[in-house]
Amino acid sequence: MKDSQKGYALVCLEDTETPQRLVGICETALAELTQLNRDYTNMQVVLAGAYADLGQSDVAINILEKVLSDDETHNGALNTLGWVYWDTSDYDASVDAFQSALDVGALAESFAGLASSSRYKGEIKEEDYLTLIDTAIAMSPEYVWAYRDKAWYFIETGRRKKAEKILKVALQHDKEDPWTLYALGVAFYDQNASAAAVARLNKAIETQQAPTNAYLYRAKANFDLENYRRALLDAEHVVQDWPASPEGYVWKARSLSALGMRPAGQTVLRDYLEESYDSYAVYWLAKLLYYGGEEIRVLHSNFDQGDADSYDHEFMAMMMLEVQDFDAARTHIDAALKLDPGAQFPRFYTSLIHVAEGRFDEAEALFLDALRGGLPRYRIGYLIGALTEEGELQRAVEFRTKTNLVSAEAD
């Protein structure tokens, strides 16, 4: 090779440049090579990875399939093909590619890719997933991506404390990795530790490489901390990045409302819904219209579309309770529980109905079950108030003691 050829080839094979630069460098190196050898196919694999990073998965797949047609045991091509399919959520194809890579030779990324692809495909037991991902980590103890995938598994299955511990280990290997910091922020947010979530999400965003989801979760966490102006700024960032998604618009509207600009928040969601229907946006517009007289009409669009979820039914049940239409409230409570059997607010609403009907023992028992299931403690005052309105003062006092005992059990 000429010196210039060697220069381009080496830079391509090092695979440390940005995807945009790699495409130009690798294509130049490949065009100048007259002899097809292992370096040539390895550069093709790097080029495919660069195209995939630029969102041109079809180009990447074509290149990799050509490599594999010449050498079906090329481990790099098989693994890269697996990641391209993983990125496009074609988990059947990614499982096949990573399994083929493992058949050729055991690499940490093959185990991690197979574990993650099988998990998202939904056809792997927890024990098998953990065996694969832990093997990847054992083979490459500094493999931050594998730690992160394992942590997301625990976040998604409700075990955020375990995820937190795994992510802290990952940060020991790369303390500024934005994706790990973002995941840790989510783990804290899901444990109601909003201040800790904001601290990690701030660090992720400071790298200027954080995903849009980091801004979304920081908006949510700041909202919980009543930092509504900061939440508004992040929500606007999400709107810019994801103009077709309702997420940014909903949190922008909620932040404006919390800042005393409720009509402006309603306008944000009205404008969004004029462009496209979305049940999540409809639900929050109805919430922001609550007591304004329009909420039932707005929320009915979800029912008319056949898109009402458990939250829509819960909200409708609450509004029916306000006007003491208990039959209608029960209908929506039953529908909410059918969609989400573990929901606790429908049980809370039913307990209020029982109080109004004089079925006090049933009301107390149902409310305490809901409290054990995760109903927020601030709702205790609602039932005590309902009992008091019915003249059950002594019962209300005794019920407070019962709720304290339930809380002590949880501790």
Side-chain angles (χ1 to χ4, degrees):
M1 282 188 217
K2 297 177 182 177
D3 287 341
S4 63
Q5 291 174 325
K6 288 180 181 178
Y8 281 118
L10 285 174
V11 174
C12 175
L13 291 170
E14 283 173 358
D15 193 9
T16 57
E17 296 289 337
T18 63
Q20 291 91 338
R21 282 181 55 78
L22 275 175
V23 166
I25 290 167
C26 293
E27 287 187 339
T28 299
L30 288 166
E32 292 182 348
L33 273 180
T34 55
Q35 182 180 358
L36 302 185
N37 54 24
R38 191 70 174 178
D39 280 349
Y40 186 91
T41 54
N42 288 343
M43 283 192 286
Q44 284 183 300
V45 172
V46 174
L47 177 61
Y51 273 117
D53 289 340
L54 293 172
Q56 299 184 48
S57 57
D58 290 344
V59 176
I61 291 169
N62 286 337
I63 294 171
L64 293 166
E65 287 180 344
K66 186 177 186 310
V67 172
L68 291 168
S69 68
D70 296 329
D71 180 2
E72 62 183 14
T73 63
H74 195 294
N75 210 313
L78 288 167
N79 279 308
T80 303
L81 186 62
W83 291 121
V84 174
Y85 282 129
W86 186 91
D87 281 337
T88 58
S89 302
D90 188 345
Y91 300 118
D92 287 329
S94 62
V95 164
D96 290 343
F98 286 123
Q99 185 61 65
S100 296
L102 279 174
D103 292 341
V104 172
L107 294 177
E109 70 169 315
S110 307
F111 282 105
L114 181 60
S116 185
S117 299
S118 300
R119 174 166 74 87
Y120 284 115
K121 186 179 176 182
E123 294 183 2
I124 190 171
K125 295 178 181 177
E126 178 173 303
E127 180 182 356
D128 295 332
Y129 167 75
L130 293 176
T131 296
L132 288 170
I133 203 71
D134 286 342
T135 300
I137 292 170
M139 292 179 70
S140 181
E142 296 183 0
Y143 192 0
V144 171
W145 190 95
Y147 287 105
R148 204 164 55 235
D149 194 77
K150 184 178 179 181
W152 278 116
Y153 173 73
F154 283 119
I155 289 172
E156 290 162 8
T157 53
R159 290 168 283 181
R160 284 91 180 187
K161 199 68 182 176
K162 281 190 175 183
E164 178 190 333
K165 291 178 181 177
I166 294 165
L167 291 165
K168 286 178 177 177
V169 173
L171 286 171
Q172 291 175 11
H173 299 294
D174 186 352
K175 64 181 181 180
E176 295 184 354
D177 181 69
W179 291 88
T180 305
L181 288 164
Y182 153 60
L184 185 56
V186 174
F188 278 123
Y189 177 80
D190 286 351
Q191 294 178 78
N192 298 315
S194 294
V198 167
R200 274 63 180 190
L201 293 166
N202 283 344
K203 288 182 179 179
I205 290 168
E206 283 168 8
T207 67
Q208 298 186 337
Q209 298 175 37
T212 301
N213 262 324
Y215 291 89
L216 175 61
Y217 271 90
R218 191 169 70 171
K220 293 179 179 183
N222 272 318
F223 189 92
D224 289 348
L225 295 169
E226 299 182 5
N227 297 327
Y228 301 126
R229 292 190 184 281
R230 293 176 185 173
L232 177 60
L233 290 173
D234 282 335
E236 288 176 337
H237 184 104
V238 176
V239 166
Q240 273 192 328
D241 285 0
W242 295 343
S245 167
E247 290 282 2
Y249 299 94
V250 165
W251 286 97
K252 181 177 180 178
R254 292 186 66 183
S255 299
L256 286 168
S257 181
L259 287 166
M261 294 178 277
R262 195 172 192 135
Q266 294 167 358
T267 299
V268 167
L269 292 177
R270 287 185 195 278
D271 289 347
Y272 173 76
L273 287 167
E274 281 184 8
E275 298 297 323
S276 59
Y277 165 79
D278 181 86
S279 61
Y280 179 52
V282 166
Y283 172 83
W284 277 107
L285 178 57
K287 291 278 279 189
L288 294 184
L289 288 168
Y290 193 39
Y291 294 124
E294 290 184 74
E295 63 274 8
I296 292 179
R297 178 185 61 77
V298 169
L299 192 57
H300 260 300
S301 63
N302 278 356
F303 294 95
D304 294 342
Q305 294 279 343
D307 204 19
D309 60 15
S310 61
Y311 296 108
D312 293 325
H313 285 289
E314 282 184 21
F315 188 35
M316 193 66 82
M318 178 182 68
M319 290 189 287
M320 293 301 99
L321 282 174
E322 291 281 346
V323 296
Q324 296 190 324
D325 187 344
F326 298 147
D327 288 340
R330 277 197 178 91
T331 297
H332 288 290
I333 287 168
D334 290 343
L337 287 171
K338 185 175 180 181
L339 290 166
D340 184 2
Q344 301 307 325
F345 272 92
R347 293 177 172 81
F348 161 61
Y349 295 142
T350 301
S351 71
L352 293 178
I353 294 173
H354 286 341
V355 170
E357 294 174 341
R359 298 158 62 184
F360 305 123
D361 290 339
E362 291 176 67
E364 289 185 14
L366 188 57
F367 186 96
L368 292 174
D369 281 344
L371 197 61
R372 292 187 187 96
L375 183 73
R377 279 188 57 79
Y378 74 85
R379 291 291 178 176
I380 294 170
Y382 286 72
L383 196 78
I384 289 175
L387 289 169
T388 302
E389 286 181 8
E390 295 296 323
E392 295 291 321
L393 300 180
Q394 184 61 36
R395 182 183 282 273
V397 172
E398 292 171 354
F399 183 67
R400 168 68 72 179
T401 302
K402 292 178 183 177
T403 61
N404 288 338
L405 290 173
V406 168
S407 299
E409 290 172 9
D411 296 336

